[in-house]
Amino acid sequence: MHGHGDKILILDFGSQTTQLIARRIREQRVYCEIHPFDVDDERIRAFEPKGFILSGGPTGVYVQDAPNCSDLVFDLGVPVLGICYGQQLMVQRLGGKVQAAEHREYGRAKLEIIDEGRIFAGLRHEPGDVWMSHGDRVEKLPEGFQVLATSSNSPFAAVADPERACYGVQFHPEVAHTFHGEEILANFVLDICACKPGWTMASFVDHSVKAIQKQVGDERVICGLSGGVDSSVVAALLHRAIGKQLHCIFVDNGLLRLGERESVEEVFGRHFGMDLLVVEARDRFLQALDGVAEPERKRKIIGETFIRIFEEEAKRMKGVRFLAQGTLYPDVIESVNVRGPSAVIKSHHNVGGLPERMDLVLVEPLRELFKDEVRVLGEALGLPADVVGRQPFPGPGLGIRVIGPVCFDRLEVLRKADFIFQEELKSSGCLEQTWQAFTVLLPVRSVGVMGDERTYDETAVIRAVTSVDGMTADWARLPAEVLATVSNRIINEVPGINRVLYDISSKPPATIEWE
């Protein structure tokens, strides 16, 4: 863990915006990590934080069994910033009083800064909106504390004890709606904690390369390449660290998009010169999927077949001890339950769900990064823009975009139609504005006319959505002329499709994928 320079430790009390705090601090080029509120003293000391941030949380500090933190947080002598619940906990722990408020304050509030107190440096004369969300309030401040800011409903919207470098705010500086939230966090991290902004992708690469070399020694590592962003970046990073000790396995399951296999062979085999094994497994997947229409069963069959093939190939490679995976930081955090530290990584990761009996030790070099940081890392490692900027693609591939039974012919039809859609989105400049765009093939036939002939062919649905994180999504307002061109080209160039629909459902209630 060492080698990141100055570090901030964030203790998570269950707020939904804790991850945002970490993102904002990393934007200041300072390394930080999120740990459960009850992390033990040994871990805290080993981390050597230059400052603590206590996150918000859903409970009240006076509730029985309310989440608490170690005394060390206040005894280490480094600055502490409490946000919402974190502020109340700090006040209560240091001898003040907190109680339930008559009015819940939720949403925007006007902040009046009375005293800059370092944390509001440069912001005093700009009253602004902040994002509040709390049902409790501070009634009495501990000895040595003073009020820095108030809001209409909160006489203690921001407080501080400059001697002890303890700061508390009753609003969320990490959310986008908060006025100057970034500057407030930057003042805390860069000025009050005196962190040097040294955490860059270049420093991350150096740190990771050393860590990988140390973990792996002269052993060999296998990596399942899917062509997606995470597995591609893992492969590039490992290749830089251990070169020929890395063996990549790419399984062609016949459910890939047009040209996908060739592009993986081109980038990783030829351009990087990696040891890349391409397993030709189309027939095996199609046989396993024969006649299966139910989406969940398709997913299961595709996942299990993949794992079996991967296992067989891994066993053939004698003396491999390590398996590389693209686990990202949000997966690590999500799997650590705030109510008790239980680290269960979600099973669907990349190769995910690989059987225990493989006896391989995991190498997870991206487990400290957020998705957008992974893309920046990919660029730093020299991956081409179309790999780094690649849209999310489901593990089961086109297997879940062909609705109903999957067969070679329907996959070919979908591949061609999707290729046209992608091509037109690129050339019209619309691709950059979408989070995900793809084509679905429906087993719904309808009558059409081609020339003088009547046709009775299938229906293609095109879907394009905008989103920030995939949690919610809205359908993309693509220009009518782009939709028209896509529709004309698909119907004219792809035999088997005579109708094209555009999906205008949002998530929720719909999902992004159809299955």
Side-chain angles (χ1 to χ4, degrees):
M1 255 338 313
H2 303 287
H4 281 315
D6 295 344
K7 302 190 292 265
I8 295 286
L9 183 55
I10 300 167
L11 296 187
D12 183 17
F13 289 90
S15 161
Q16 292 180 341
T17 53
T18 305
Q19 282 194 32
L20 286 178
I21 304 174
R23 311 270 299 247
R24 298 285 170 263
I25 291 170
R26 290 187 181 193
E27 283 161 13
Q28 303 297 335
R29 309 217 321 269
V30 170
Y31 184 72
C32 60
E33 272 185 29
I34 298 172
H35 284 268
F37 62 85
D38 55 3
V39 62
D40 60 42
D41 290 3
E42 203 180 326
R43 296 282 293 277
I44 294 175
R45 283 207 171 85
F47 189 78
E48 298 178 339
K50 295 267 301 208
F52 292 96
I53 295 183
L54 314 181
S55 85
T59 48
V61 288
Y62 44 77
V63 176
Q64 200 182 350
D65 296 332
N68 215 324
C69 62
S70 160
D71 291 337
L72 193 59
V73 172
F74 302 104
D75 296 347
L76 253 193
V78 300
V80 184
L81 170 63
I83 294 174
C84 281
Y85 182 89
Q87 179 197 32
Q88 292 151 14
L89 181 69
M90 174 194 291
V91 164
Q92 194 186 34
R93 287 290 289 273
L94 299 176
K97 245 214 202 76
V98 176
Q99 63 189 53
E102 284 142 42
H103 307 285
R104 250 195 92 77
E105 194 168 14
Y106 184 81
R108 289 178 192 283
K110 280 261 180 283
L111 189 71
E112 285 292 336
I113 298 171
I114 300 164
D115 181 343
E116 286 189 3
R118 284 177 83 180
I119 198 148
F120 295 121
L123 306 179
R124 170 109 193 238
H125 300 297
E126 306 188 38
D129 283 348
V130 293
W131 191 257
M132 292 274 192
S133 161
H134 62 97
D136 304 319
R137 56 195 284 174
V138 173
E139 288 303 315
K140 180 171 146 293
L141 287 178
E143 229 19 52
F145 271 78
Q146 61 203 60
V147 176
L148 299 182
T150 60
S151 77
S152 50
N153 197 28
S154 183
F156 303 111
V159 300
D161 176 349
E163 282 297 292
R164 278 190 282 196
C166 286
Y167 292 80
V169 293
Q170 189 57 81
F171 54 88
H172 287 274
E174 70 275 21
V175 300
H177 321 282
T178 287
F179 146 93
H180 289 311
E182 276 159 52
E183 282 102 315
I184 294 168
L185 287 170
N187 283 341
F188 177 72
V189 170
L190 303 176
D191 175 31
I192 296 168
C193 299
C195 288
K196 288 180 201 58
W199 196 70
T200 59
M201 264 316 142
S203 72
F204 179 81
V205 171
D206 293 344
H207 165 74
S208 292
V209 163
K210 290 191 186 85
I212 292 164
Q213 290 165 342
K214 189 175 167 207
Q215 184 187 2
V216 170
D218 49 14
E219 302 273 357
R220 292 154 67 199
V221 181
I222 51 170
C223 173
L225 251 184
S226 66
V229 180
D230 305 342
S231 73
S232 300
V233 173
V234 166
L237 185 57
L238 278 155
H239 185 250
R240 178 166 295 191
I242 57 171
K244 288 287 177 217
Q245 291 165 244
L246 173 69
H247 308 280
C248 293
I249 299 176
F250 177 79
V251 178
D252 184 350
N253 56 13
L255 308 170
L256 304 168
R257 289 174 290 192
L258 204 64
E260 201 145 11
R261 170 178 172 170
E262 293 73 16
S263 108
V264 167
E265 289 179 303
E266 174 60 44
V267 171
F268 297 96
R270 287 190 274 289
H271 174 68
F272 278 103
M274 288 187 198
D275 176 45
L276 173 64
L277 170 68
V278 176
V279 183
E280 172 54 75
R282 294 177 212 191
D283 296 347
R284 192 160 156 185
F285 277 89
L286 285 177
Q287 272 162 351
L289 288 166
D290 189 36
V292 178
E294 208 264 314
E296 234 0 81
R297 269 196 66 209
K298 280 195 219 171
R299 281 176 186 273
K300 250 202 160 69
I301 290 168
I302 295 166
E304 280 167 10
T305 310
F306 181 86
I307 285 166
R308 255 181 236 127
I309 293 170
F310 196 85
E311 261 196 293
E312 288 159 21
E313 297 303 334
K315 286 206 178 91
R316 276 196 200 124
M317 293 181 175
K318 293 278 179 278
V320 172
R321 273 206 47 218
F322 291 93
L323 167 70
Q325 287 212 130
T327 313
L328 303 193
Y329 198 45
D331 306 311
V332 176
I333 305 170
E334 267 173 37
S335 62
V336 176
N337 185 334
V338 171
R339 281 265 159 242
S342 61
V344 215
I345 300 295
K346 290 196 296 201
S347 65
H348 65 249
H349 268 287
N350 297 337
V351 181
L354 281 175
E356 297 300 301
R357 63 179 181 282
M358 285 186 73
D359 297 330
L360 292 172
V361 181
L362 283 185
V363 180
E364 299 176 304
L366 308 185
R367 54 181 291 137
E368 299 170 358
L369 299 184
F370 290 103
K371 188 77 171 190
D372 44 348
E373 294 173 324
V374 173
R375 294 187 197 277
V376 177
L377 173 59
E379 282 165 19
L381 292 165
L383 283 170
D386 57 341
V387 174
V388 174
R390 203 185 133 155
Q391 295 188 340
F393 186 61
L398 301 184
I400 56 167
R401 291 180 180 172
V402 166
I403 309 294
V406 177
C407 63
F408 181 76
D409 293 343
R410 294 189 73 211
L411 284 164
E412 283 297 288
V413 167
L414 178 57
R415 258 188 272 278
K416 287 178 190 146
D418 191 60
F419 186 75
I420 291 171
F421 185 31
Q422 302 296 333
E423 204 171 51
E424 290 301 328
L425 284 174
K426 269 189 200 118
S427 67
S428 64
C430 293
L431 193 62
E432 287 82 68
Q433 290 138 39
T434 61
W435 165 266
Q436 220 172 331
F438 56 91
T439 311
V440 173
L441 185 64
L442 297 189
V444 175
R445 290 179 179 271
S446 62
V447 173
V449 183
M450 291 292 245
D452 301 328
E453 306 274 313
R454 285 169 85 77
T455 57
Y456 190 56
D457 285 333
E458 291 194 318
T459 305
V461 175
I462 53 179
R463 175 128 172 89
V465 298
T466 54
S467 175
V468 175
D469 51 16
M471 297 294 178
T472 58
D474 195 11
W475 60 279
R477 305 321 193 240
L478 295 178
E481 53 276 17
V482 174
L483 293 173
T485 310
V486 171
S487 172
N488 286 336
R489 280 195 60 196
I490 289 177
I491 291 168
N492 287 317
E493 297 172 34
V494 185
I497 293 176
N498 66 358
R499 210 171 272 273
V500 174
L501 313 180
Y502 187 46
D503 179 350
I504 56 167
S505 327
S506 296
K507 172 186 177 180
T511 48
I512 295 179
E513 293 287 340
W514 270 52
E515 291 203 345

